Each structure stands twice: as structure tokens, then as C-alpha cells.
Amino acid sequence: MFKGTTIICVRRGDEVAMAGDGQVTLEHQIIKNGAKKVRRLVGGNVLAGFAGSTADAMTLLERFERYLEGHSGNLMRAAVDLVKEWRTDKALRRLEAMMLVADLRQTLLLSGAGDVLEPDSDVASIGSGSGFALAAAKAFIEVSDMGAGEIAKRSLQIASELCIYTNDIITLEVIKGE
């Protein structure tokens, strides 16, 4: 598990939302509070969030975006190609990060262990506060009519109250269907 961040992706109705906190931690010290760990890719049609070493994550995001462009925005094909390279390339296999990526059709969790996982539910999360955010989001989905963006944001706020590596400075991106 990677310390220093929480990323959550929520699907509800015709929208998908991804949110991440802004805290960057080096060992036991907070280095930055407002890092942006969630990005829009491919003209805003794909969301990507990362947990782990910032430099490693940025390297992976750049490569993932190239694969997305090469596969005309096909999320699964780009994810499989990235993870193949990540697992087999001598330099990349040492990178310490995890990624959540999503478009209007699917959400995928990517890791350097070779994982391309599509969650069973409409919620997925990574990072140190992942379990807290995931539980909160699942509860909100069950008992409320909030949209995906509000669920993602409120779930991260709850995680920030429980996880010392997660703060409440949140970046939220939402893609809405037509």
C-alpha cells in the first residue's frame, strides 16, 4: 500500500467522478498540501489518478496518455499495453505507484504487478486512505441520491478525518454522459 494519498472513483447514473487529496508525505512529514493527483486525459474523456511516488506516477501517466492516443482512446487496450510495459521493462518495473483510470464506460485499477482490474462495483479506490473512502462511498450510494461527484468528494473528506496520510484539499474531476 502506498502512503501519502487517497484516490477514489465513483460511477452513478450517467457520470463518473474521480477525486484525490492533495497531501504529499515524505516519511513522517507533510511536504505539500495541494498536489494534483487526478488528471483529465485525451481531451477530457478519460480520468486518471495515481498513488505512490510522484515522479514514478508522472512517468506512468505520460506513457498511459501516449497509449490512449495510439489506441484512439480505448481505455482497456491502453491499460493492458501500459501494464505489459510496466511489468517487463527493466526501468519501469521498479516504479512504485498505482493508478485508477476511467472513462464513461469502465473503471480500471492498474499496478506494476501486472494488474488490470475492473472493479465489481461502481466504486474503486487506491492509496493509504482507500478503505475509508471506499466504505464511505459505498454507504452514500446505498442511502443517498447524491451524484458521483458529491459522493467522491464527501468520501474523501471522511477519509481525511481518519487517515493521517490524506488531507481535505481535494481535486475533483467529473465526466458526464449525454
Side-chain angles (χ1 to χ4, degrees):
M1 176 172 11
F2 296 101
K3 297 179 184 173
T5 201
T6 303
I7 304 293
I8 188 157
C9 183
V10 178
R11 299 178 160 285
R12 187 144 221 206
D14 65 343
E15 67 180 26
V16 60
M18 190 174 293
D21 77 302
Q23 185 167 305
V24 177
T25 308
L26 181 60
E27 295 185 15
H28 303 291
Q29 182 177 354
I30 297 169
I31 302 300
K32 184 173 181 162
N33 285 307
K36 187 177 178 195
K37 302 171 196 168
V38 173
R39 305 260 195 297
R40 286 179 171 268
L41 306 174
V42 191
N45 296 319
V46 172
L47 303 176
F50 62 85
S53 165
T54 304
D56 293 353
M58 297 309 291
T59 299
L60 293 167
L61 276 173
E62 288 171 9
R63 287 178 186 259
F64 182 65
E65 189 160 32
R66 274 189 258 141
Y67 280 120
L68 274 171
E69 290 166 356
H71 291 302
S72 303
N74 184 308
L75 193 70
M76 181 62 82
R77 288 185 65 202
V80 168
D81 283 352
L82 174 69
V83 169
K84 267 196 252 180
E85 182 183 11
W86 190 355
R87 184 156 170 82
T88 59
D89 183 272
K90 284 184 180 183
L92 290 182
R93 87 175 78 147
R94 292 190 193 110
L95 299 184
E96 296 183 15
M98 291 184 80
M99 292 175 60
L100 269 180
V101 296
D103 62 13
L104 281 173
R105 290 180 306 278
Q106 62 191 156
T107 300
L108 301 172
L109 186 151
L110 314 179
S111 81
D115 299 315
V116 177
L117 303 173
E118 187 167 10
D120 289 333
S121 73
D122 289 334
V123 181
S125 62
I126 57 174
S128 56
S130 173
F132 303 120
L134 185 68
K138 286 184 175 219
F140 284 134
I141 284 176
E142 256 186 55
V143 301
S144 79
D145 59 354
M146 291 188 289
E150 188 175 355
I151 291 172
K153 185 175 181 180
R154 292 191 61 191
S155 297
L156 266 186
Q157 288 169 333
I158 289 170
S160 76
E161 295 172 8
L162 301 169
C163 176
I164 62 171
Y165 297 107
T166 302
N167 71 11
D168 62 355
I169 299 172
I170 296 169
T171 300
L172 173 66
E173 296 287 353
V174 179
I175 301 174
K176 294 185 180 193
E178 298 172 24

